[in-house]
Amino acid sequence: MNTLLQILLMGPTGENQNPLMSFLPLILIILVFYLFMIRPQMKRQKELRNFRESLSKGDKIITTGGIHGKILSVSDGYIVIETEGETKLRIDKSAVLKEAADLEKK
């Protein structure tokens, strides 16, 4: 089985072989890797960045640490949230993971 795979991957041999055909498997692997791994990750990062930029006072959020809270104020690099028990926390914007309303929908 292993030798059959090696023969299939080697392709045609000889002096008249097209150089593009020797790089075609590598190009296809890179294309598949981009389409199924890199592109979806970039899309998720863009959506998260847009979400963090659109945060406003009164939104209910969940941080990466699992803290649920309501936004009291928004600054450039951080936000102030109020948790249960009227505790105020100042957290970095990059620590905001999702909106709490998303969980209620599910």
Side-chain angles (χ1 to χ4, degrees), residues 84-102:
E84 201 169 310
E86 299 181 7
T87 305
K88 294 180 183 177
L89 299 172
R90 188 173 107 172
I91 60 170
D92 195 36
K93 268 190 177 181
S94 63
V96 177
L97 187 59
K98 55 186 163 185
E99 195 168 7
D102 292 342

Side-chain angles (χ1 to χ4, degrees), residues 69-81:
K70 182 178 177 183
I71 297 178
L72 295 178
S73 67
V74 179
S75 178
D76 288 336
Y78 64 91
I79 60 175
V80 177
I81 64 170

Side-chain angles (χ1 to χ4, degrees), residues 2-97:
N2 196 12
T3 56
L4 177 63
L5 183 62
Q6 288 177 350
I7 292 171
L8 290 175
L9 290 176
M10 284 178 24
T13 57
E15 295 176 10
N16 297 333
Q17 183 181 1
N18 188 357
L20 179 64
M21 293 305 287
S22 64
F23 287 112
L24 188 61
L26 180 62
I27 293 170
L28 289 175
I29 289 171
I30 292 171
L31 179 69
V32 167
F33 186 74
Y34 175 77
L35 289 176
F36 290 108
M37 299 282 287
I38 297 172
R39 189 167 168 253
Q41 179 65 25
M42 288 173 33
K43 184 178 176 184
R44 281 191 297 269
Q45 286 177 347
K46 184 178 179 182
E47 289 172 357
L48 188 59
R49 182 174 46 246
N50 290 338
F51 167 70
R52 287 176 179 160
E53 289 173 359
S54 69
L55 290 174
S56 61
K57 183 178 178 179
D59 290 345
K60 293 182 179 181
I61 59 163
I62 301 172
T63 66
T64 54
I67 299 171
H68 294 242
K70 182 178 177 183
I71 297 178
L72 295 178
S73 67
V74 179
S75 178
D76 288 336
Y78 64 91
I79 60 175
V80 177
I81 64 170
E82 181 181 40
T83 61
E84 201 169 310
E86 299 181 7
T87 305
K88 294 180 183 177
L89 299 172
R90 188 173 107 172
I91 60 170
D92 195 36
K93 268 190 177 181
S94 63
V96 177
L97 187 59

